[in-house]
Amino acid sequence: MKMQSFNTDGEFSANYKFVIGSILPRPIAWVSTINEDGSNNLAPFSFFTAVSAKPMIIAFSPMIRSSTGEIKDTAKNILERKHFVVNFVTEDLAEKANATSSELAYGEDEFIHAGLTPIDSDSVKAKRVKESPVQFECIYRDHLSYGDQPGAGMIITGEVVKIHIDESILDGDKINTQKFKPVGRGAGNDWFKCDSTFQMERLMKAQIQK
Ligand SMILES: Cc1cc2nc3c(=O)[nH]c(=O)nc-3n(C[C@H](O)[C@H](O)[C@H](O)COP(=O)(O)O)c2cc1C
């Protein structure tokens, strides 16, 4: 291997292309929130991960918008109103999820823009995406901010207080990945399907020492 090495103290775009080109594939949180005037907001975020099973905590990162230097509507809404829903994106929903990443003016409803159906949640004010087969109702827990310059991220964590799952993707009490058909985000305009998996048994210490 002949390695090339890069410092990370330059422009946002120089770092960004390596972040999105290395951390692969990235799951997508399709986050719905409520705007100040009560209208809906919806946007995808692939800087997203699981943090804790009990309490059930997830985290995602809306960055400061690189084009305007402004905080994204999703982050503003969560910090102000504390409620959000993480909806999951499937192969069938990928195009609509992509459409909801458009920079609409604050207060413009991405559900309408993408032709999606908002439905009431049980425990939070933010709406769920009816078309999504897995929906997590979340209450804001905490956040960490890494600056206010364009491209600076912020970790927002939320406690998942209610889960909704379409029973057609369940095998008993487990989600079947082949039926779920989630998609992930790659570098540039790349997206991932999860239709190629392989299995390995996790070995216990005693088996390794034999
Ligand atoms: C699949 C996908 C994943 C994205 N992931 C992120 C992300 O992790 N963080 C981020 O700041 N923006 C991400 N974006 C861009 C936001 O969705 C976009 O900036 C959107 O306009 C934010 O909407 P809001 O202002 O309503 O919150 C992503 C876009 C797409 C299409």
Side-chain angles (χ1 to χ4, degrees):
M1 274 195 286
K2 186 167 181 294
M3 306 299 278
Q4 290 192 22
S5 307
F6 305 89
N7 292 325
T8 57
D9 54 358
E11 291 294 308
F12 154 78
S13 57
N15 291 351
Y16 182 67
K17 65 174 184 270
F18 292 132
V19 172
I20 64 171
S22 314
I23 303 177
L24 295 169
R26 296 184 306 284
I28 300 170
W30 202 9
V31 181
S32 41
T33 53
I34 300 284
N35 296 318
E36 216 168 342
D37 64 1
S39 60
N40 296 311
N41 191 84
L42 179 64
F45 294 89
S46 69
F47 290 15
F48 166 50
T49 195
V51 176
S52 167
K54 175 127 181 98
M56 191 168 169
I57 309 279
I58 55 85
F60 77 101
S61 168
M63 288 175 283
I64 298 291
R65 210 179 276 290
S66 56
S67 55
T68 60
E70 284 166 349
I71 184 169
K72 295 196 178 182
D73 300 346
T74 302
K76 176 178 157 67
N77 288 342
I78 293 174
L79 296 182
E80 285 171 6
R81 274 166 290 288
K82 317 293 181 202
H83 285 182
F84 60 105
V85 177
V86 172
N87 305 273
F88 287 76
V89 183
T90 60
E91 289 175 24
D92 287 347
L93 290 170
E95 250 176 67
K96 291 193 181 227
N98 198 31
T100 63
S101 73
S102 315
E103 285 189 27
L104 301 184
Y106 186 72
E108 262 192 74
D109 186 332
E110 284 90 0
F111 280 87
I112 296 171
H113 175 68
L116 293 158
T117 318
I119 51 170
D120 282 344
S121 297
D122 290 350
S123 310
V124 300
K125 289 193 197 90
K127 305 281 181 188
R128 296 179 280 145
V129 175
K130 185 179 179 207
E131 290 80 359
S132 169
V134 180
Q135 307 142 356
F136 288 179
E137 294 187 21
C138 301
I139 296 179
Y140 164 87
R141 281 289 288 251
D142 43 35
H143 76 278
L144 274 177
S145 216
Y146 297 97
D148 52 11
Q149 294 305 304
M154 169 196 283
I155 292 178
I156 294 183
T157 67
E159 177 161 359
V160 182
V161 293
K162 189 110 189 199
I163 303 166
H164 305 270
I165 305 172
D166 176 0
E167 62 181 26
S168 73
I169 66 164
L170 284 172
D171 279 347
D173 60 359
K174 293 198 178 73
I175 296 174
N176 178 315
T177 311
Q178 303 306 325
K179 293 179 183 169
F180 180 18
K181 295 189 195 315
V183 290
R185 190 77 200 276
N189 288 331
D190 287 348
W191 291 62
F192 283 91
K193 290 185 182 178
C194 299
D195 56 358
S196 168
T197 55
F198 63 97
Q199 283 70 45
M200 272 198 285
E201 246 180 80
R202 195 165 141 195
L203 298 179
M204 295 297 126
K205 204 173 170 191
Q207 292 168 287
I208 298 166
Q209 284 167 345
K210 264 183 197 167

